[in-house]
Amino acid sequence: MICKAHKFQHYQTDSYYFSSGRHSQTFVETVKLFCERCGDLKETTRTAFCGYTDYHKLPDWAKSITTRAWHLDA
């Protein structure tokens, strides 16, 4: 079904962090949305990189992530 005016609703949020170097971490948040009219899915991803001494510079959404993806560690 083709939808002319999408009305997206929040479906799921996945967030995690992983070690991307000796003293650095990468934080990832993926938000999944769906259109309640036609069922289309939309996905947005944002990432933040953090060096060992730069944790205080992270945005608040990245500071709230506590799940570590061990399988992605460098």
Side-chain angles (χ1 to χ4, degrees):
M1 180 178 183
I2 297 175
C3 184
K4 293 186 179 184
H6 290 290
K7 186 174 180 184
F8 286 103
Q9 297 291 327
H10 180 263
Y11 175 65
Q12 182 179 5
T13 300
D14 297 324
S15 56
Y16 57 89
Y17 73 94
F18 60 92
S19 175
S20 53
R22 185 171 183 182
H23 296 294
S24 60
Q25 295 175 337
T26 300
F27 295 81
V28 180
E29 181 182 67
T30 303
V31 176
K32 296 177 183 176
L33 308 166
F34 75 98
C35 177
E36 63 182 27
R37 295 180 180 164
C38 65
D40 283 350
L41 293 174
K42 180 180 180 181
E43 187 175 286
T44 60
T45 302
R46 56 184 174 176
T47 60
F49 177 80
C50 173
Y52 181 68
T53 59
D54 297 332
Y55 186 79
H56 66 283
K57 294 180 184 177
L58 281 174
D60 290 335
W61 65 265
K63 288 180 184 177
S64 66
I65 296 174
T66 59
T67 304
R68 184 170 186 165
W70 290 98
H71 65 283
L72 296 175
D73 282 355

